[in-house]
Amino acid sequence: MHTRINHCLEALAESDYKAFNQKLIPTTYEILGIRMPALKKLAKELASDPDIGSYLQNAEYTTYEHILLYGLIVGQVKDLSLEMFFRYFDPLILRFDNWVHVDCLISFPKLFKKHPDEVLMHFLPLKTHEGEFTKRTFVIFLMDHCMDKAHIDTTLKHLSEVPQGQYYVDMGIAWALSVGLIKFYDSTLPYLEQQVFTKFVHNKAIQKARESYRIPPETKEYLKSMKMK
C-alpha cells in the first residue's frame, strides 16, 4: 500500500503549487505541492480500504503531505475507538512542525467533536509540552472543540495556563481568545481586563477580535482602548 500511496501522491503533485507552499509554509519536510481538496479526497478513498490498518501501523512520514494524508485518514476510518485513534494519532502530533499540520488535522476528526471531554483529558500533557507545535495542538483543540457553553470557563483557564513565548503558540492563544470574545464576550473579557496574557497575545487577540464583523463598533472601540502600550 505504501507504494500505491506514493504513486498517488506523485500523480497529484503540482510544481506551481509546490513553489507557492514553499514560500508560505515553514517546514523541514519536503513539500510535493498537493492541494488540500485532493488530499482529502484521497484520504477518504483510502480510509475504507481493507488494508488501511496495516498502513496506519507502519506509517511513512517522508513529506509534508504524508503527515497530512495520514492524519486525514485516521480521522475518517469508520468504527475506530478512541484508544486506537490515539495510538495512531499521538505519534503523529510529535512530528508536526508547522501551523498547517496542526490547524488542519486538529479541526478534522469527528471523534473530537463526539468526545471532547475524553480528548481534552488525553491531550492535557500537551499544554506544557516543550514543543511549539504540540502546545499549539492543545490550543487549537480547545478553540475548535471546546469553545462552547459547556466548556468555555475551562477552556479559558487552560488557555491562561499554556506557557507563552513561542510565536505559533502565542498566535494560537490570541486566535482562540478572539473567538472567545466573539462567542462568549462576558466570560472572555475579564482575562483581558486583568491582563492575564503577555502583551503580544493580549494585543493580538484584541486585533483579531476587532477584525470580526460579529463584534459591534462600540465594543471594538472599548477593546481598542484596552490595548497594552
Side-chain angles (χ1 to χ4, degrees):
M1 176 168 276
H2 286 87
T3 301
R4 172 190 163 197
I5 289 175
N6 287 336
H7 286 162
C8 288
L9 292 175
E10 290 171 6
L12 293 171
E14 302 176 32
S15 58
D16 290 348
Y17 194 63
K18 174 179 179 177
F20 172 77
N21 273 350
Q22 285 175 329
K23 295 177 181 178
L24 179 67
I25 302 165
T27 178
T28 59
Y29 295 97
E30 177 189 1
I31 294 177
L32 300 176
I34 302 173
R35 298 178 187 275
M36 191 60 66
L39 272 177
K40 288 183 176 180
K41 182 180 179 181
L42 177 60
K44 185 175 181 179
E45 295 170 358
L46 293 171
S48 59
D49 191 294
D51 296 327
I52 197 60
S54 175
Y55 167 74
L56 294 176
Q57 292 172 22
N58 301 279
E60 291 183 354
Y61 305 107
T62 54
T63 69
Y64 160 81
E65 285 87 355
H66 273 91
I67 290 180
L68 286 173
L69 180 65
Y70 186 94
L72 291 170
I73 291 172
V74 174
Q76 295 188 82
V77 175
K78 291 184 178 180
D79 303 321
L80 194 66
S81 68
L82 270 179
E83 180 183 359
M84 287 302 298
F85 178 91
F86 290 138
R87 185 178 300 181
Y88 295 140
F89 203 79
D90 285 353
L92 191 68
I93 292 173
L94 299 178
R95 296 179 180 271
F96 293 168
D97 80 338
N98 61 84
W99 60 271
V100 182
H101 282 160
V102 176
D103 298 5
C104 174
L105 297 181
I106 295 305
S107 67
F108 188 71
K110 294 181 179 179
L111 279 176
F112 288 178
K113 299 184 185 300
K114 292 180 179 179
H115 307 283
D117 295 309
E118 293 90 338
V119 179
L120 175 57
M121 289 302 297
H122 182 82
F123 279 172
L124 271 179
L126 300 179
K127 180 167 68 172
T128 55
H129 192 276
E130 64 181 1
E132 183 170 9
F133 294 100
T134 45
K135 285 195 287 291
R136 184 179 173 96
T137 294
F138 182 75
V139 170
I140 299 304
F141 169 78
L142 289 173
M143 183 183 74
D144 283 349
H145 304 286
C146 298
M147 195 69 76
D148 54 34
K149 186 175 181 179
H151 298 93
I152 184 60
D153 292 335
T154 300
T155 291
L156 291 168
K157 184 175 185 297
H158 282 310
L159 289 174
S160 72
E161 294 170 348
V162 175
Q164 298 165 64
Q166 293 171 302
Y167 178 77
Y168 287 102
V169 177
D170 291 354
M171 287 295 288
I173 296 171
W175 185 13
L177 287 172
S178 72
V179 173
L181 287 169
I182 293 166
K183 298 177 68 175
F184 298 98
Y185 181 80
D186 290 342
S187 297
T188 308
L189 185 63
Y191 283 83
L192 298 178
E193 291 178 330
Q194 297 166 23
Q195 298 188 348
V196 172
F197 298 92
T198 64
K199 178 180 177 180
F200 176 84
V201 171
H202 179 99
N203 289 347
K204 186 62 68 172
I206 289 173
Q207 174 191 329
K208 286 181 171 293
R210 294 183 71 243
E211 291 170 354
S212 173
Y213 67 91
R214 297 171 62 186
I215 291 183
E218 60 272 17
T219 302
K220 290 182 180 182
E221 285 303 308
Y222 178 61
L223 289 175
K224 183 179 179 180
S225 72
M226 293 178 60
K227 291 187 68 174
M228 291 187 191
K229 305 297 183 181

